[in-house]
Amino acid sequence: MKSICFFTYNLTFGGAEKVVVYLANYFALRGMEVTLLTISKGNDLKDIINPKIKIVCLNKEKIVNAIPSLIKFVKTHKIDNFVANIWPLTIVSSCIRFVSKQTKLLFIEHCNLSEEFKNQNVIFRFAQTTSINLFYRFAHEVIAVSAGVKEDLVKKGVKNSKISVIYNPLEQLKGSKKIDSIKNVETWLNSSDKKLISVGELKKQKNFPNLIKAIGILQKKYSIKLKVLILGDGPERKNIEKEITRQELEGIILLPGWVNDPVPYLHQADLFVLPSDYEGFGVVITEALSTGLNVVSTNCKSGPSEILKDGELGYLCRVNDPDDLAESINEALNNPLDKDKLITRAGDFSIENIGRLYEEKLDC
């Protein structure tokens, strides 16, 4: 039985974390011995993890402190494939080439790192680029989750020939599609207004104030009656609540927090909106398409425009431009695209299709 270990910081809610679990489930169902290795505690995804999968936590908070434990783990376990997700976990995983020569090492980069860390000082950015240039050569394979992510890695010194683009998988989860009984969700569900939905961690990258301002513009310019559900939580929650108050949109934009599975909520919406400044891929866009839901997204670098085929299968607008976002939302509500085409597009990202591409890269 071949083995595979997926290495990520933790298993809390997040697009990259869900992708890791989807891939782990895929290989577990195909008879491989699968381990999910994390640095820190935190597992919000336990309900969707195949029970055959072994979960190991190194119980560290800082990545650098986990290196001795990582080396010990690799030395004491037979691992045919080691899959490290996201810089700098990819960097520390390079040590595996020296302690376990039979292990195939795969790096997956989920982020546009130049965008993610553009506000860091020049020394940090130089160190990051140097580390990628030096240590990514130790991977047998490097996977970028979009062409935009690949382009960014090439700029940081990774050989173009070493990188393959494999989009993130979409897994149709089995089990209950029950919508949680949460006050704000019920208000949204029972509304006769047009129902918009957005999903993501409440952090600066996702730029939910952009969406809030756009809703304010729509209210004033077109008098459209809307109810907006933002599923997620995070460090920017207070600032987002302040912006909702500033725009006088209390009761219109609702923040119920995280839910285990956003898909049942997507089924109830009239439109999905992604207002991000940048994305590596955008798993939630494929989830929206899988329900036939129309999508409005900022034309941010990497995934969204690739998923939506440059606007053929969704509405793209300028980044951090609430006026343009408002116009795109209005156009999408008035001119919805064919649902069957959207569902067909989502099928391109099925776990079966994406999983086979990963099988070609691994020692299976």
Side-chain angles (χ1 to χ4, degrees):
M1 183 186 295
K2 292 289 186 177
S3 62
I4 182 169
C5 177
F6 290 93
F7 185 39
T8 187
Y9 185 77
N10 60 28
L11 293 168
T12 55
F13 286 120
E17 290 77 12
K18 286 170 70 175
V19 166
V20 170
V21 170
Y22 294 165
L23 290 171
N25 287 345
Y26 175 86
F27 285 104
L29 288 171
R30 276 145 188 83
M32 291 186 71
E33 182 181 321
V34 182
T35 302
L36 284 170
L37 178 66
T38 67
I39 288 180
S40 176
K41 293 179 180 178
N43 186 355
D44 298 321
L45 304 174
K46 52 186 174 293
D47 291 339
I48 65 170
I49 296 174
N50 188 308
K52 293 180 181 178
I53 295 172
K54 185 178 181 181
I55 302 173
V56 178
C57 180
L58 300 178
N59 288 317
K60 306 293 181 182
E61 292 301 321
K62 293 183 177 180
I63 294 172
V64 67
N65 294 339
I67 294 174
S69 298
L70 172 62
I71 292 172
K72 181 179 179 181
F73 175 84
V74 173
K75 281 185 173 181
T76 55
H77 292 77
K78 180 185 175 297
I79 303 172
D80 296 306
N81 303 275
F82 192 94
V83 182
N85 291 267
I86 307 176
W87 183 93
L89 266 65
T90 48
I91 300 301
V92 301
S93 300
S94 298
C95 66
I96 289 168
R97 290 297 301 273
F98 303 99
V99 299
S100 182
K101 295 186 183 299
Q102 82 281 3
T103 300
K104 187 163 190 179
L105 183 61
L106 190 81
F107 291 169
I108 305 179
E109 191 49 70
H110 297 258
C111 305
N112 186 310
L113 295 171
S114 294
E115 288 292 323
E116 180 86 13
F117 297 99
K118 65 182 178 182
N119 294 323
Q120 294 287 344
N121 62 53
V122 66
I123 296 174
F124 178 97
R125 287 183 279 116
F126 174 77
Q128 181 188 66
T129 298
T130 302
S131 69
I132 290 169
N133 194 356
L134 287 174
F135 291 102
Y136 271 54
R137 67 188 64 187
F138 291 109
H140 292 95
E141 300 275 354
V142 177
I143 304 298
V145 301
S146 66
V149 170
K150 176 177 179 176
E151 181 182 345
D152 185 55
L153 287 174
V154 170
K155 287 178 181 177
K156 290 186 177 296
V158 185
K159 286 185 178 180
N160 183 78
S161 59
K162 196 180 186 82
I163 310 170
S164 299
V165 174
I166 301 181
Y167 291 128
N168 281 334
L170 173 66
E171 183 176 77
Q172 297 295 333
L173 300 176
K174 305 294 190 294
S176 174
K177 294 298 181 185
K178 180 183 177 183
I179 289 180
D180 298 326
S181 181
I182 305 171
K183 182 180 178 181
N184 283 344
V185 171
E186 291 179 349
T187 301
W188 180 77
L189 280 173
N190 296 328
S191 175
S192 59
D193 300 336
K194 288 289 185 181
K195 293 192 278 290
L196 272 59
I197 188 169
S198 193
V199 182
E201 186 178 356
L202 306 187
K203 57 183 181 180
K204 287 185 178 181
Q205 169 201 342
K206 302 298 182 181
N207 200 353
F208 286 110
N210 182 31
L211 173 59
I212 296 163
K213 292 171 186 175
I215 299 303
I217 292 167
L218 285 166
Q219 295 283 102
K220 294 170 185 174
K221 188 172 182 179
Y222 297 107
S223 300
I224 302 174
K225 292 185 177 181
L226 300 168
K227 276 284 187 294
V228 183
L229 191 68
I230 299 176
L231 296 176
D233 214 334
E236 286 294 302
R237 185 180 185 95
K238 287 187 177 179
N239 290 333
I240 290 169
E241 289 172 339
K242 287 178 182 177
E243 186 62 39
I244 291 172
T245 301
R246 191 178 297 118
Q247 297 290 332
E248 299 180 348
L249 294 172
E250 304 96 325
I252 293 174
I253 299 178
L254 310 170
L255 301 170
W258 283 115
V259 297
N260 289 330
D261 181 7
V263 173
Y265 305 82
L266 295 169
H267 276 290
Q268 302 299 319
D270 295 298
L271 185 68
F272 173 80
V273 184
L274 187 141
S276 298
D277 288 339
Y278 58 91
E279 290 285 340
F281 181 70
V283 171
V284 72
I285 294 179
T286 61
E287 290 175 330
L289 294 178
S290 75
T291 70
L293 184 60
N294 274 245
V295 172
V296 170
S297 172
T298 47
N299 194 8
C300 52
K301 295 180 180 179
S302 302
S305 61
E306 295 176 44
I307 297 168
L308 299 175
K309 292 190 172 181
D310 292 322
E312 179 185 339
L313 295 172
Y315 290 86
L316 296 170
C317 64
R318 291 186 293 273
V319 172
N320 197 28
D321 187 334
D323 289 292
D324 198 34
L325 179 55
E327 291 298 327
S328 296
I329 291 171
N330 184 54
E331 186 177 356
L333 288 172
N334 289 313
N335 302 284
L337 302 174
D338 182 73
K339 288 187 174 184
D340 290 337
K341 289 183 178 179
L342 306 184
I343 293 170
T344 298
R345 176 56 173 160
D348 294 339
F349 307 100
S350 71
I351 186 63
E352 289 76 21
N353 287 337
I354 302 302
R356 281 194 291 270
L357 296 177
Y358 272 94
E359 283 187 83
E360 293 172 7
K361 302 296 180 182
L362 297 170
D363 180 12
C364 296

